């Protein structure tokens, strides 16, 4: 055998190779003294061998007595390991040696049985392993990678979850003192990705999700005896107690009062009385009774003690109150009764002579039986003649001292004798509710020995059956709560025997029978001991019950939880050490067990799974660094990309990952730096790659990684935040991106991918900002699960989980949400009140199993109530058809209990079945099944998705919570009476004031319709009404409210309620207002979410777009104006038919567009309910109705048809809402989530519908088809291909050559990719000649392709390229997406041929010079040396978990490489054959004849030397530089090099430079420049700002500046950017700046263009040309063109910036220079051929006619890159370098500004006098939190300061201007995550040595709220366009004529000329100024004359020219006109 293992968490490994079988054991790690010297017995070695450090033990050779003879000669193999530090035993001992079946009799290592769990990286389904070894070239030692025998990971997949959820693993690894090192329960919460495979487990180790084992001690007989012996305590289970009718007065206890604090009071004869001071709390609080107007009626107080004991009272004692003596009682009557329904008997009566002295309030009363509190004032009446025992007492006060006074006293006591405890077992007595039952193990029969009534017998049988024996199999304590016994049994003591539902027999015993007491110290004569039992009397029980010295420990056979009680003997450590056990499910209940995708088992020899098991917390044992851990995911990706068998699936997954892109939201944290999170996310692409895109959308929407990346985790609704005390809207990030980037794009598309245009020829947008806000509200409530064991817990010490998110309904938005079609989310979904009666028994009803836990997961619930077995449940009888369906019996009749049951047909209920409770209710929640089962089984009913109308007629008031003594109701709402949404509120007929309401139901939590509530009350002889009083306590509220919380449900009343519309004046949005009738207290305490103050507005379609204005609101009688600019109106709802006959329907499409209300499947109704009319002449349609025919439809008519693979049912009605008393009408919205009863179920349904609205959107198929086509080689696929692909996607099927792909369902990715790849347009080689066909290959795709085609061979199987951090070097890397836009914008067009042709080439946006050259040089390095880690060479990172490889300096030497190219041509007879085959493999034989000839000629001399391998390497490197290797299509390249030169002559005029800092993501500049002091008309500017923001910067975090001509005279600058305040005299702030088409306010049509999207707003910022008058150019490129036109020597310089911004007109040939952030290095080190990059210039020569556009882009970029590199090398050689710049290597801004400073230093070398730099810095899209703003400002503050100092050192600070900009500002209010969303207007600044600073220009908006005309949806519309700033900057740089400025700023004339800033406004040396003369603007500029410079210049070009040039292109291009065009007005 050949087995290899990992031993421990240390890196060292060993293997056993049984080829030769004898082997060496080397013990040690090279550190003498570090390793213990344990004796180790090794099988086959005589005697004991002591292993010392460096000691070698050699097993016997072949042929010895110890082993059988083997023919093969002896061969030694090293066995390397380290001491296993965490183990107590030596590694090598006889316990882990066994005979191997593979090697006869020879020892091999077997896997120990101990189980462990991974600490941070679990097995991933995408992580294959190859076992192998490698030799360290330095030490010569072998490094073995192998399987760890100490580690077992079990399969826990959805189809095969762990049998007990991992409970046994938890118990096995339990560490109470270090829980971080123990395994957690692996059980997964049920979710959409696992629910079908969930199973029930009855194992005692089964753990429910999020549970930990209970530390318990079993109180069985043996343990009791053992604990007693260990602790020297007397612990016994008592027995012999009897249930007796006899009362032994001698056993009574004398007490100071038989009344106590828990006594219940009932009072009559008072108008009102104080419950708060009820004269029973043992303090001198007062009892107060209002007796005004009451004559001849005594006040009576009934005291009902809570304990179930009789008492004999001997005295009446009363204490005086602190009020007037006139209120003292003057006389009394005391009565008692023996049971609650017995007659009252007078005990005593007489006068009361209370002391005149008063008692203070609140003094504790210290009294005894013998005497009252001697320090207080009281009177006492002797009742010594009373000898009768009573249950409760009534005290009547006929009069007070002053008959006209109220009654008051402080406290009443009844000292007396409390009798023994026998009534505790009196289980049917009212108030005595508990009883104990003991199982009769040997009972053959179970007679009703107490002759219980049928109802009583069933009551206790049900209670016993429902009570799980969680911790005790033989005793069950039950509480009947408020369910009543039969009248005949009400006062029976002994209830005899009862049979439970599972057939077991139970006897009623004394309540303390078998209780375990600690009777240490008691007189042994009082009990008789037998083993662990003690026989005692009832009298002795009373003694120990009333003496705390004898505590109760538990019950015999109890599993007692260790709770840390200091007085318990079980709390002693020595007891716990011996007797403690760990338990999850001791009673073996049914626990639901679910698995997780990808959580697979380890099987190293079959499944190729491998991973690192160490945790970063255990640094001493870590095998890998954090960097190496994160590298593993890249290794995995690269390995699969190169070696997986399913290459198309892997390629599809990679493509999908670039459409749905995620990055690193938690970069720098342990969680995100470990392996697991991102591969687990990537697995979703793999799993769904050929499935439904809809499934992928759902998976990513519930994924934790995505939720943090796009910041909707913990996103809260507006109302949730308002309830918490602040206004904050939902985070919009994910809502925007899932539409724009993942599903439908920005513009409506035709089926062929072309944009749909409006009547003005403009593209129609897919969504607006209103839509974003609406959809954002749908992404609220998402929260993550707790961490668990297994693959989910990437890091146990960080509470993170990878399981799907869940929706918390509390923080979910509950209101209607507009969709993208002018309607609502939920349109065409059935109305809930249109579902058939008892829909839960009809087709489509869904049930999900809960197991033995009745707590629902999708419905609101109170766990304490649901888990209480005494609460009435919805029990299904075995005769129930639903019972049978859920049971799903097997062939033996045993229930199988499926995980999920969906009714495929209606259930048939015969007359007998209809007697079942489920047939009598309106709806179900959970159902109980318990007959014949040891534990009840529960299912949860999931109502099918349905919606409610927001507005409805005949609304009724529902109440929630208590109704107080003042009759005031809280949280009142309106409810639709047709919906089962509340419970009953029943009153006695004709109830008077202070009479309470009661709730009645069939099962706990039942909801019913209004009519059913009336019927429920009537069945009880009550009537539905509005209560004066309702308190949910046991004696007042009815059987269905007891024990529930005050907010657990709502109740119907008979009061009316009006649903009103609150309409916003500015946009016609609507909010819901509930206006209930006042309660009996005259109040209307409406739920805040639907009160008049509601801010929950939603968009709704108004008829003809007309909605009430302010004037309308004032004139409509049903309306009134609210103070938030809205109108609140009464409404009326009208429901009308839409079609009257089939003749009105022209097509299914028209029908679908006209009908918005869904219908239930007609087959879910009774068979005769609907008539099928057939198609009514319309193909594909089926019509159902309750009457009429095709020529006569009605409101019940249902239309059914198939649409996009799903069946639609639409109802022939429309519902409209009228503003009462007006003609204003809007469509009645629908909503999934009820505002009355919010359920998680409906939130999930709503989320599905939101996803469907995107998935079924008409633009989605072409959007996705174009994206995938781009990723698979067609950057500009033809409309016909897109249409064919869309057709396949929509059909879910693609057929070609008798092959069929896809599932046949809409949205099938397999069909879509087949349609793209197998389309002739993708496959016909002739199309390569089309210049526009094909694409530029993506960098990583090229690397993988080269590795595969060149046969990358791995010397050691686990050592391979990671391609780690390749984004920085080549522009692309696995798991390295830099933004949600992925690596490139899909709409990017490379300047030049591609752009001129109107095409896109996304991948060419990565053609930065440094990246191109790095890619080529790294490929060359790999050809020469193989994959390597040599830091001095460009390379693709290698990884081997060890020190770096040695680096070769000999070209062609791959000895030190773990992997190298193994390619060898099929023929080496000639160079032509070699080059031709390489052309096939590397260019698909597209290489031009000229390039192939040139390469052949260059390789021939090498070939002629006989060094074939070198010739191959040379050919490979030459070919890899060609356009054909990097693009598809035919390259037509001449041999003429592209001539690129710099300026030869000196520039005229001084040097000036502009640096544009493009801070992308949208900077929150409202926290950069903050108002302070007085603003406007004297308001506190800061206070107003802070109130509007939510994330306001504190005052002490601002540095003050002052200004004039602003609404505020003082502002504060963020103190972390204090440089701007320090240099304020050289700084200008621009307030409320942004992209503007024209001047706008919110009252204009402002919502045009694709506002608020990063890419479009960045594009607009770069272009500065909103009307596209200068196509394909950028604002700074045009500025450079005009400067060059003026004779300046210009340079456009890009640093990770926006190339588009620097792109000028082609005729000016302003080449964009890529300024690198690091110093240039020599290319082609240790060359195969020295002329590689010189030849590359020829291979990328001037393009000829017909050249591929993409090849042209590569060749142009390649040539430019080489020119720039040569120039940089020349500059470096000249020693031009900034030397005193404190560079911060961790800051990209620092590196960028340093590079700019370096480049500026070379200005004379380059002969330029006008530099423009664009530096892009990301990371400002702070949706989730603004916490990142301060460190970003700190970085900017520090690095700008360094840069300014360098400018001063260079002497050019006065000649440098730095402009700060961002694509947009942020929203004013924070979102619910504490961050901000995309805004519009923001603030920017200009800083420079020559800036005329110290001011704020533009108009700072105040206030920052809706009172401002620019404020819209929490954003500010800009008032300062970017043109204003660029105008002054352009003038300062030298562009001063109006015509030139108009070319630079095409939209300049959309604004008043005098509003533009001039250079005199901005700069000290400005030359231009504008003034208004006679109402007209007049501008002039001073004349500037330049003197030529005299400083010498150098040029890297041998043939320099006066101007820089690009290559002359023969390709046609469109040159824009230089003359300005008309501007729109």
């Amino acid at each position: 055998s050949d087995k290899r293992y990992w031993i421990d968490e240390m890196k060292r490994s060993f293997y056993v190779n049984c080829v030769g079988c004898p082997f060496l054991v080397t013990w040690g790690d090279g550190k003498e003294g570090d390793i213990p010297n344990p004796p180790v017995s090794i099988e086959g070695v005589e005697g004991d061998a002591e292993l010392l450090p460096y000691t070698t033990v050699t097993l016997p050779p072949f042929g010895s007595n110890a082993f059988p003879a083997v023919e093969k000669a002896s061969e030694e193999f090293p066995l390397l390991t380290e001491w296993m530090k965490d183990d107590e035993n030596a590694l090598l001992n006889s316990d882990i040696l066994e005979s191997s079946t593979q090697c006869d009799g020879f020892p091999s290592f077997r896997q120990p049985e101990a189980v462990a769990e991974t600490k941070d990286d679990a097995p991933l389904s995408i992580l294959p392993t190859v076992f192998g070894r490698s030799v360290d070239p330095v030490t010569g030692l072998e490094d073995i990678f192998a399987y760890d025998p100490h580690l077992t990971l079990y399969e826990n997949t959805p189809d095969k979850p762990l049998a007990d959820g991992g409970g046994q693993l938890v118990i096995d690894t339990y560490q109470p003192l270090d829980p971080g090192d123990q395994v957690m329960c692996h059980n997964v919460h049920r979710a959409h990705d696992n629910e079908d495979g969930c199973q029930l487990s009855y194992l005692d180790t089964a753990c429910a999700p999020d549970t930990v084992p209970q530390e318990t001690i079993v109180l069985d007989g043996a343990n009791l005896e053992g604990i007693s012996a260990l602790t020297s305590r007397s612990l016994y289970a008592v027995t012999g107690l009897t249930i007796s009718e006899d009362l032994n007065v001698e056993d009574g206890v004398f007490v100071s009062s038989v009344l106590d604090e828990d006594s219940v009071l009932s009072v009559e004869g008072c108008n009102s009385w104080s419950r708060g001071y009820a004269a029973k709390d043992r303090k001198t609080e007062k009892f107060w009774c209002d007796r005004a107007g009451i004559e001849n009626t005594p006040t009576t107080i009934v005291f009902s003690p809570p304990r179930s004991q009789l008492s004999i009272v001997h005295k009446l004692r009363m204490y005086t109150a602190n009020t007037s003596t006139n209120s003292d009682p003057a006389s009394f009557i005391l009565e008692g009764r023996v049971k609650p329904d017995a007659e009252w008997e007078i005990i005593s009566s007489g006068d009361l002579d209370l002391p005149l002295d008063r008692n203070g309030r609140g003094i504790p009363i210290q009294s005894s039986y013998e005497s009252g509190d001697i320090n207080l004032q009281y009177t006492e009446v002797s009742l010594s003649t009373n000898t009768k025992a009573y249950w409760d007492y009534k005290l009547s006060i006929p009069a007070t001292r002053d008959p006209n006074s109220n009654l008051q006293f402080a406290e009443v006591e009844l000292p007396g004798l409390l009798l023994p405890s026998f009534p505790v077992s009196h289980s049917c007595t009212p108030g005595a509710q508990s009883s104990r039952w003991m199982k009769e193990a040997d009972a053959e029969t179970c007679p009703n020995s107490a002759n219980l009534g049928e109802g009583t017998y069933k009551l206790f049988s049900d209670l016993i059956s429902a009570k799980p024996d969680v911790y005790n199999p033989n005793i069950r304590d039950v509480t009947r709560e408020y369910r009543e016994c039969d009248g005949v049994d009400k006062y029976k003591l002994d209830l005899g025997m009862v049979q439970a539902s599972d057939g077991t027999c139970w006897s009623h015993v004394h309540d303390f029978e078998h209780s375990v007491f600690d009777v240490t110290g008691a007189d042994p004569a009082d009990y008789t001991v037998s083993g662990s039992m003690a026989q005692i009397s009832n009298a002795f029980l009373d003694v120990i019950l009333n003496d705390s010295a004898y505590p109760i420990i538990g019950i015999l056979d109890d599993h007692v939880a260790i709770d840390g009680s200091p007085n318990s003997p079980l709390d002693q450590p020595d007891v716990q050490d011996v007797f403690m056990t760990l338990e999850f499910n001791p009673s073996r209940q049914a626990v639901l067990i679910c698995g997780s995708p990808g959580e697979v088992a380890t099987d190293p020899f079959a499944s190729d799974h491998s991973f690192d098991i160490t945790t970063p917390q255990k640094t001493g044992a870590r095998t890998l660094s954090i960097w190496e851990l994160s590298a593993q995911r890249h290794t995995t990706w690269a390995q699969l990309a190169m070696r997986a068998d399913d290459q198309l699936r892997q390629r599809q997954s990679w493509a999908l990952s670039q459409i749905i892109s995620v990055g690193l939201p938690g970069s720098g944290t342990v969680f995100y730096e470990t392996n697991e999170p991102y591969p687990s996310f990537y697995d979703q692409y793999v799993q769904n790659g050929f499935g439904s895109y809809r499934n992928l959308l759902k998976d990513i929407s519930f994924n934790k990684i995505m939720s943090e990346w796009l910041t909707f985790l913990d996103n809260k609704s507006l109302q949730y935040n308002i309830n918490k005390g602040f206004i904050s809207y939902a985070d919009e990030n994910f809502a925007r991106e899932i539409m724009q980037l993942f599903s439908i794009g920005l513009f409506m598309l035709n089926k062929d991918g072309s944009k749909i245009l409006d009547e003005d020829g403009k593209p129609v947008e897919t969504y607006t900002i209103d839509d974003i806000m609406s959809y954002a509200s749908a992404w609220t409530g998402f929260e993550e699960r707790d961490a668990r064991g297994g693959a989910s817990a990437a890091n146990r010490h960080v509470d993170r989980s990878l399981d799907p998110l869940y929706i918390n309904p509390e923080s979910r938005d509950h209101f209607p949400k507009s969709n993208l079609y002018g309607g609502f989310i939920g349109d065409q979904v059935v109305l809930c009140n249109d579902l058939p009666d008892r829909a839960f028994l009809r087709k489509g009803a869904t049930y999900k199993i809960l197991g033995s836990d009745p707590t629902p997961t999708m419905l609101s619930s109170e766990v304490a109530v649901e888990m209480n077995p005494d609460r009435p449940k919805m029990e299904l009888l075995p005769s129930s058809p639903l019972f049978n369906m859920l049971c799903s019996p097997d062939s033996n009749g045993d229930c199988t209990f499926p995980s999920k049951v969906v009714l495929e047909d209606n259930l048939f209920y015969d007359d007998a079945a209809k007697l079942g409770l489920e047939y009598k209710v309106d709806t179900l929640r959970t159902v109980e099944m318990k007959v014949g089962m040891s534990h009840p089984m529960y299912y949860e009913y999931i109502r099918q998705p349905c919606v409610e109308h927001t507005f409805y007629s005949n609304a009724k008031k529902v109440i929630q919570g208590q109704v107080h003594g003042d009759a005031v109701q809280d949280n009142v709402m309106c409810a639709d009476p047709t919906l089962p949404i509340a419970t009953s509120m029943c009153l006695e007929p004709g109830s008077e004031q202070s009479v309470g309401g009661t709730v009645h139901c069939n099962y706990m939590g039942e909801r019913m319709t209004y009519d059913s509530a009336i019927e429920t009350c009537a069945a009880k002889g009550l009537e539905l009404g509005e209560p004066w009083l309702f308190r949910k306590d046991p004696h007042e509220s009815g059987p269905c409210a007891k024990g529930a919380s005050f907010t657990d449900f709502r109740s119907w009343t008979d009061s009316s309620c009006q649903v009103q519309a609150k309409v916003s004046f500015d946009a016609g949005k609507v909010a819901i207002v509930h206006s209930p009738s006042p309660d009996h207290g005259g109040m209307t305490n409406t739920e805040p979410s639907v009160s008049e103050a509601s801010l929950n507005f939603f968009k709704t379609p108004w008829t003809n777009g007309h909605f009430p204005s302010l004037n309308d609101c004032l004139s409509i009688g049903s309306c009134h104006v609210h103070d938030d600019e809205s109108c609140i109106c009464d409404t009326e709802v009208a429901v009308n038919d839409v079609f009257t006959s089939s003749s009105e329907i022209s097509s299914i499409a028209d029908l679908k567009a006209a009908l918005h209300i869904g219908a239930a499947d007609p087959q879910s109704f009774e068979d005769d309910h609907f008539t099928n009319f057939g198609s009514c002449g319309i193909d594909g349609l089926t019509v159902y109705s309750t009457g009429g025919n095709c020529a006569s439809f009605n409101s019940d008519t249902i239309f059914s048809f198939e649409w996009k693979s799903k069946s639609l049912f639409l109802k022939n009605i429309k519902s409209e809402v009228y503003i009462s008393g007006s003609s204003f009408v809007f469509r009645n919205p629908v909503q999934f989530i009820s505002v009355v009863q919010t359920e998680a179920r409906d939130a999930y349904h709503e989320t599905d519908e939101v996803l469907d609205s995107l998935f079924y959107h008409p633009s989605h198929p072409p959007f996705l088809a174009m994206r995938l086509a781009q990723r698979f080689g067609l950057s500009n696929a033809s409309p016909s291909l897109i249409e064919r692909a869309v057709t396949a996607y929509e059909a879910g099927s693609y057929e070609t050559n008798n092959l069929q792909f896809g599932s046949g369902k809409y949205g099938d990715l397999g069909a879509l990719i087949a349609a793209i790849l197998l389309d002739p347009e993708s496959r016909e080689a002739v199309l390569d000649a089309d210049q526009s066909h094909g694409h530029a290959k993506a960098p990583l795709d090229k690397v993988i392709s080269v590795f595969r085609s060149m046969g990358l061979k791995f010397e050691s199987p686990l050592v391979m390229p990671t391609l780690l951090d390749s984004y920085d070097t080549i522009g692309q890397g696995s798991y390295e997406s830099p933004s949600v836009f992925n690596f490139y914008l899909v709409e990017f067009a490379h300047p030049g041929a591609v752009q001129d042709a109107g095409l896109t080439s996304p991948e060419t946006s990565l053609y930065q010079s440094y990246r191109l050259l790095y890619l080529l040089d790294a490929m060359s390095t790999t050809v020469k040396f193989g994959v390597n880690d040599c830091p001095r060479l460009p390379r693709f990172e290698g990884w081997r978990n060890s020190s770096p490889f040695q680096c070769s300096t000999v070209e062609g030497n791959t000895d030190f490489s773990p992997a190298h190219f193994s390619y060898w041509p099929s023929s080496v007879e000639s160079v032509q054959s070699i080059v031709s085959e390489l052309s096939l493999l590397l260019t698909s034989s597209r290489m031009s004849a000229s390039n192939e000839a040139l390469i052949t000629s260059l390789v021939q001399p090498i070939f002629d030397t006989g060094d074939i391998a070198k010739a191959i390497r040379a050919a490979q490197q030459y070919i890899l530089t060609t356009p054909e290797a990097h693009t598809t299509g035919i390259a037509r390249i001449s041999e003429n090099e592209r001539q690129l030169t710099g300026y030869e002559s000196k520039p005229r005029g001084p040097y000036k430079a502009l640096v544009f800092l493009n801070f992308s993501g949208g900077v929150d500049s409202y926290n950069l420049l903050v108002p302070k002091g007085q603003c406007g008309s004297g308001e506190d500017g800061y206070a107003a700002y802070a109130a509007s923001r939510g994330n306001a910067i504190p005052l002490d975090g601002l540095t003050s500046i002052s200004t004039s001509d602003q609404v505020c005279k003082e502002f504060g600058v963020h103190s972390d950017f204090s440089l701007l305040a320090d240099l304020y005299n050289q700084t200008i702030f621009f307030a409320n700046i942004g992209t503007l088409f024209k001047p706008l306010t919110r009252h204009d049509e402002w919502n045009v263009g694709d506002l608020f999207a990063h890419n479009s707003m960045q594009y607009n910022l770069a272009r500065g040309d909103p009307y596209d008058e200068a196509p394909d150019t950028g604002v700074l490129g045009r500025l450079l063109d005009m400067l060059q036109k003026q004779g300046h020597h210009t340079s456009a310089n890009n640093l990770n910036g926006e190339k588009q911004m620097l792109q000028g007109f082609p005729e000016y040939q302003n080449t964009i220079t890529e300024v690198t952030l690091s110093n240039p290095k020599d290319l082609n080190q240790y060359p195969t051929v020295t002329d590689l990059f010189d030849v590359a210039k020829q291979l990328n020569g001037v393009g000829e006619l017909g050249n591929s556009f993409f090849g042209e882009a590569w060749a142009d970029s390649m040539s430019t890159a080489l020119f720039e590199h040569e120039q940089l090398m020349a500059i470096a050689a000249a020693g031009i370098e900034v030397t005193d710049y404190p560079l911060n290597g961790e800051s990209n801004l620092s590196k960028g500004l340093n590079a700019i400073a370096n480049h500026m230093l070379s200005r004379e070398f380059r002969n330029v006098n006008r530099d423009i730099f664009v530096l892009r810095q990301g990371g400002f899209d702070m949706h989730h939190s603004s916490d990142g703003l301060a460190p970003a400002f700190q970085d900017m503050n520090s690095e700008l300061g360094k840069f300014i100092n360098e400018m001063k050192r260079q002497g050019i600070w006065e000649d440098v201007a730095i402009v700060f900009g961002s694509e947009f500002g942020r929203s004013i209010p924070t979102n619910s995550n504490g961050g901000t969303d995309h805004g519009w207007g923001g603030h920017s600044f200009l800083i420079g040595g020559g800036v005329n600073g110290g001011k704020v220009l533009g108009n700072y908006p105040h206030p920052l709220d809706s009172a401002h005309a620019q404020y819209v949806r929490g954003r500010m519309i800009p008032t300062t366009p970017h043109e204003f700033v660029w105008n002054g900057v352009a003038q300062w740089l030298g562009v001063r004529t109006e015509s030139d400025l108009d070319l630079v700023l095409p939209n300049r004339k959309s604004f008043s000329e005098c509003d533009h800033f001039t250079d005199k406004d901005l700069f000290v040396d400005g030359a231009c100024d504008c003034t208004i003369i006679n109402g007209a603007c007049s501008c002039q500029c001073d004349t500037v004359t330049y003197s030529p410079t005299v400083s010498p210049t150098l040029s890297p070009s041998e043939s320099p020219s006066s101007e820089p040039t690009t290559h002359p292109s023969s390709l046609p291009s469109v040159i824009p006109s230089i003359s300005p065009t008309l501007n729109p007005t």
Side-chain angles (χ1 to χ4, degrees), residues 952-973:
Y952 39 87
S953 302
N954 304 315
K956 293 296 180 180
K957 181 165 73 171
V958 291
I959 61 174
Q960 182 179 33
Q962 299 194 72
V963 180
H964 307 286
D966 55 7
V968 172
Q969 303 163 354
D970 295 329
N971 300 321
V972 178
M973 302 185 81

Side-chain angles (χ1 to χ4, degrees), residues 103-187:
C103 276
D104 245 355
F106 290 103
S108 65
F109 288 87
R110 66 177 171 86
Q111 177 180 330
E113 295 177 359
V115 173
E117 181 199 289
T118 59
K119 298 298 174 63
D120 60 18
D121 287 304
L124 303 171
S125 61
I126 63 170
L127 188 60
T129 295
V130 179
F131 291 77
R133 54 177 175 159
S134 62
V135 178
D136 190 306
V138 178
T139 64
L141 298 176
E142 283 189 314
D143 197 8
I144 309 301
F145 300 87
Y147 173 60
D148 185 345
H150 294 77
L151 182 66
T152 297
L153 288 163
Y154 293 104
E155 182 173 356
N156 190 35
T157 57
D159 295 332
K160 191 178 179 182
L162 277 168
D164 64 354
Q168 186 63 57
L169 300 179
V170 180
I171 293 171
D172 287 346
T173 62
Y174 188 71
Q175 309 240 2
L177 298 181
D178 189 5
D181 285 339
Q182 75 186 51
V183 175
M184 293 186 294
C185 179
H186 289 53
N187 197 0

Side-chain angles (χ1 to χ4, degrees), residues 361-379:
R361 251 174 79 178
I363 303 172
I365 299 175
Q366 307 295 329
S367 59
S368 65
Y369 170 76
E370 291 81 6
S371 173
D373 192 324
I374 61 175
N375 296 315
L376 299 175
Q377 303 300 314
Y378 66 91
T379 190

Side-chain angles (χ1 to χ4, degrees), residues 47 214 292 435 471 610 1073 1220 1295 1414 1505 1702 1827:
Q214 186 73 50
S435 56
Y471 290 117
S610 175
V1073 173
S1220 298
E1295 295 187 17
Y1414 189 99
T1505 66
L1702 293 165
D1827 292 346

